[in-house]
């Protein structure tokens, strides 16, 4: 069984600089190795779904870019991954989104996004894309486009029978009526804390069940807590699974969460059970953190299968 995936979200050109340590407020640090790498949480998820779906799962992206050279690069990167970009439209009023990213020697990053054209995606434009959701198995969302556009797209996806997956990043508190349209909510630790209006702190796997239960009370049908090197925790109120992370040498965590979500969506679209889908998503994310950049780090389907089948 396979079904199609629709991704609604942002496209950014990432300006990436390697640094020894992330700058503190007021500090100037000397960086190395500047690179421009296609990114944006929405585009990363679409690119990963295209690569991991390997042609068997059709992926379509809805979003906004500007009229500039970055737009061409971003659309080309998605098209090369097999993604349908015919619903990525250009706006004259704003430049293509960019993200300024510093990556330190331990692979941790700081990101500032200048949203540009991503913020020109409107709820009324989304209403014109009903046909994009028709027949789709899953629709993926994040929060780098305006919230009313996300809410409209979630409603449309539900009406057309697609399962919805929301990555609540960048973190912000969300209204209950929006969360009630979410089938699978996938926060990391800090996003989970912000959704629950509590102080951001690390979450251990032992604390995950209570946190997931609180998140379920906000309205989604299922929650997957992304716990970084501690793996992830799935809970739908009945079944609960802790899926451990694969241990790898971390180079850059940018887009690991996006790769995870797309891997999960592809595996679900292919009919894998949730335990298998979490393992597949963890493997794709693990490979991505061993490489620099967002879309440049996303593995192919063959690489994930080789990783899962490697001798141990
Ligand atoms: O999730 C990683 C992404 O966040 C980067 O590619 C950057 O563009 C920001 O949107």
């Amino acid at each position: 069984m396979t079904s199609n995936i629709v991704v609604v979200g942002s496209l950014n050109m990432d300006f990436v600089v390697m640094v020894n340590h992330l700058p503190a407020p007021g500090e100037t640090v000397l960086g190395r190795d500047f690179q421009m790498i296609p990114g944006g949480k929405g585009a990363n998820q679409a690119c990963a779904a295209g690569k991991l779906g390997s042609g068997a799962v059709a992926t379509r992206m809805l979003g906004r870019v500007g009229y500039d050279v970055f737009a061409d690069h971003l659309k080309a990167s998605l098209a090369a991954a097999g993604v349908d970009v015919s619903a990525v439209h250009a706006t004259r009023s704003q430049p293509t989104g960019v993200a300024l990213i510093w990556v330190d020697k331990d692979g941790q990053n700081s990101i500032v996004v200048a949203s540009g054209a991503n913020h020109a995606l409107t709820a009324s434009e989304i209403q014109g894309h009903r046909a994009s959701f028709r027949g789709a198995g899953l629709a993926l969302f994040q929060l780098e486009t305006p919230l009313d556009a996300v809410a409209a797209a979630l409603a449309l996806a539900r009406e057309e029978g697609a399962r919805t997956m929301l990555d609540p990043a960048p973190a912000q508190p969300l209204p209950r009526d929006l969360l009630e349209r979410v089938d699978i909510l996938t926060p990391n630790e800090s996003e989970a804390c912000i959704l629950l209006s509590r102080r951001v702190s690390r979450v251990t796997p032992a604390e995950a069940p209570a946190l997931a239960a609180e998140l379920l009370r906000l309205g989604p049908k299922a929650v997957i807590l992304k716990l970084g090197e501690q793996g992830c925790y799935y809970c739908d109120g009945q079944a609960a699974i802790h899926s451990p992370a694969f241990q790898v040498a971390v180079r850059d965590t940018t887009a690991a969460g996006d790769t995870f979500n797309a891997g999960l969506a592809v595996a679900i679209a292919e009919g894998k059970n949730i335990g298998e889908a979490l393992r597949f998503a963890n493997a794709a994310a693990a490979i991505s953190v061993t490489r620099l950049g967002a879309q440049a780090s996303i593995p192919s389907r063959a690489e994930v299968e080789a990783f899962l089948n490697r001798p141990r």
Side-chain angles (χ1 to χ4, degrees):
M1 182 199 93
T2 56
S3 58
N4 299 341
I5 293 173
V6 179
V7 182
V8 179
S10 58
L11 302 94
N12 298 327
M13 182 55 82
D14 292 352
F15 290 67
V16 184
V17 181
M18 303 293 297
V19 292
N20 275 332
H21 67 270
L22 302 177
E27 185 185 16
T28 299
V29 300
L30 289 178
R32 318 179 301 270
D33 303 339
F34 166 69
Q35 293 190 46
M36 282 193 289
I37 302 175
K41 293 184 193 305
N44 295 343
Q45 293 188 4
C47 179
K51 283 182 160 183
L52 298 170
S54 191
V57 176
T59 302
R60 182 179 176 84
M61 169 105 205
L62 270 66
R64 280 277 187 168
V65 288
Y67 270 98
D68 47 41
V69 69
F70 296 146
D72 300 337
H73 282 300
L74 293 172
K75 284 167 64 170
S77 177
L78 293 183
V83 177
D84 175 353
V85 292
S86 58
V88 175
H89 295 307
T91 181
R92 291 205 181 275
S93 59
Q94 297 282 343
T96 297
V98 297
L100 310 179
I101 303 182
W102 329 135
V103 181
D104 75 11
K105 58 183 181 348
D106 299 320
Q108 298 307 308
N109 61 42
S110 280
I111 303 181
V112 175
V113 175
S115 296
N118 294 304
H119 266 202
L121 188 70
T122 61
S124 62
E125 179 184 348
I126 292 289
Q127 300 296 348
H129 282 292
R130 180 177 287 277
S132 292
F133 297 98
R134 198 159 292 146
L138 287 109
L140 311 190
F141 306 88
Q142 331 72 38
L143 299 176
E144 286 186 333
T145 47
L147 204 54
D148 58 347
V150 175
L154 276 163
L156 215 49
R158 272 286 186 85
E159 284 166 27
E160 291 300 327
R163 286 177 81 181
T164 58
M165 190 185 299
L166 174 66
D167 199 16
Q172 57 177 284
L174 292 170
R176 185 175 182 90
D177 60 343
L178 185 147
L179 288 167
E180 283 176 344
R181 296 174 187 154
V182 175
D183 288 304
I184 307 176
L185 182 71
T186 62
N188 65 19
E189 294 154 292
S190 60
E191 290 150 7
C193 292
I194 288 167
L195 281 169
L196 293 165
S197 305
R198 63 164 66 165
R199 196 169 50 81
V200 171
S201 63
R202 290 305 312 265
V203 177
T204 65
E207 293 164 331
L211 196 62
E214 277 190 71
L215 289 163
L216 280 176
R217 285 197 282 277
L218 298 179
K221 282 199 181 141
V223 167
I224 297 174
L225 274 171
K226 295 191 278 198
L227 303 174
E229 71 281 1
Q230 302 181 102
C232 60
Y233 179 80
Y234 170 89
C235 181
D236 60 15
Q238 294 177 326
I241 301 171
H242 174 238
S243 186
F246 296 94
Q247 298 309 310
V248 291
V250 176
R251 177 146 186 239
D252 175 15
T253 57
T254 308
D258 304 327
T259 305
F260 177 95
N261 278 42
L264 188 77
V266 165
I268 292 172
E270 291 175 349
K272 288 185 170 48
N273 68 39
I274 190 67
E276 294 168 335
L278 293 171
R279 188 164 179 270
F280 182 84
N282 273 339
I287 298 171
S288 80
V289 303
T290 65
R291 302 169 178 172
L292 181 69
Q295 288 168 38
S297 73
I298 296 168
S300 67
R301 174 62 175 245
E303 287 174 314
V304 176
E305 283 175 359
F307 182 87
L308 285 169
N309 295 327
R310 72 200 188 286
R312 262 170 270 176

